[in-house]
Amino acid sequence: MAAAGEIALQTFHDWCASEGVAFDREALEIKTFVDESAGISRYHYAVYARYDLEVGKEVISAIPKAACLSARTCKVAELLRAEKLGGGLALNVAIMYELWLGDKSRWAGYFKILPQGGERTLPMFWSDELLAELDGTDLSMHVKDDKTNFREDFTEHVVQCLAAKYPETFPPDTFTLDMYLQAASISASRAF
């Protein structure tokens, strides 16, 4: 089981090298963990310092802007600009599209270390029963609003706009709300 996680990590390292992403392997180590607590096997990756690092003393990682998946660097960047989509919505669509491309995506090596199906631990994927435990809290209302907004954004901008205007790029009935939520969960848990 751990071997698959190590293979994914090596694929990620290869992708980093091809994109000019560098980190000091003497200073940092990425470890693979297998979590089976939720009844499914998931790989987790964590970055550890090999020694105490001094703030401002050394550069231990460099990531070119071009290597960052964004609405400006994705395969459909021009369409997103043409439709004036921006912010989190554009990033979610960019991630969704690149995930859909699979191994044809420039970020395929990066995707190998992300949770398959998105970050399913986020409230956007919780069951109604689990969400009911939040009733009466501010978080409950935020989660409900987020779910509504995600659904509306997907319908208005992906289904009614992109798939309708650009069916050769966004084939109708190919992109689903679940795919959009998967992308949104990746964005929510990793964008900075």
Side-chain angles (χ1 to χ4, degrees):
M1 182 57 103
E6 293 299 327
I7 292 168
L9 183 56
Q10 185 55 55
T11 301
F12 171 70
H13 284 306
D14 294 343
W15 174 82
C16 285
S18 72
E19 291 292 328
V21 175
F23 70 92
D24 183 343
R25 290 183 186 226
E26 290 182 19
L28 299 176
E29 174 184 17
I30 302 176
K31 293 183 181 181
T32 305
F33 297 93
V34 179
D35 175 13
E36 296 178 345
S37 63
I40 58 169
S41 295
R42 291 185 46 181
Y43 299 104
H44 295 276
Y45 302 90
V47 179
Y48 290 89
R50 294 182 187 263
Y51 56 84
D52 288 340
L53 302 171
E54 293 185 46
V55 176
K57 295 288 182 181
E58 57 189 314
V59 175
I60 55 170
S61 182
I63 304 171
K65 281 187 180 182
C68 296
L69 173 51
S70 72
R72 293 180 181 168
T73 59
C74 70
K75 188 96 168 170
V76 291
E78 288 184 29
L79 294 180
L80 298 177
R81 270 193 301 278
E83 294 304 319
K84 295 181 176 50
L85 299 182
L89 170 64
L91 180 58
N92 294 342
V93 172
I95 294 169
M96 179 182 68
Y97 193 82
E98 293 295 335
L99 284 168
W100 177 70
L101 289 175
D103 287 339
K104 294 177 184 171
S105 171
R106 178 178 160 200
W107 289 273
Y110 170 64
F111 293 147
K112 296 293 184 194
I113 64 165
L114 296 180
Q116 298 301 307
E119 188 55 71
R120 298 281 169 167
T121 58
L122 294 178
M124 69 176 73
F125 294 112
W126 289 6
S127 68
D128 289 339
E129 181 181 314
L130 195 54
L131 285 172
E133 293 186 28
L134 298 177
D135 284 349
T137 69
D138 288 343
L139 184 56
S140 176
M141 193 52 115
H142 288 296
V143 172
K144 288 174 184 172
D145 288 348
D146 283 349
K147 283 185 156 196
T148 299
N149 292 335
F150 285 136
R151 190 173 25 263
E152 289 173 356
D153 284 348
F154 174 76
T155 301
E156 180 180 346
H157 298 289
V158 177
V159 176
Q160 296 173 348
C161 178
L162 295 171
K165 287 185 176 180
Y166 310 101
E168 66 288 343
T169 305
F170 287 89
D173 301 322
T174 298
F175 295 92
T176 65
L177 177 59
D178 191 64
M179 291 170 71
Y180 183 77
L181 292 175
Q182 174 184 347
S185 73
I186 289 170
S187 172
S189 62
R190 286 158 176 85
F192 55 90

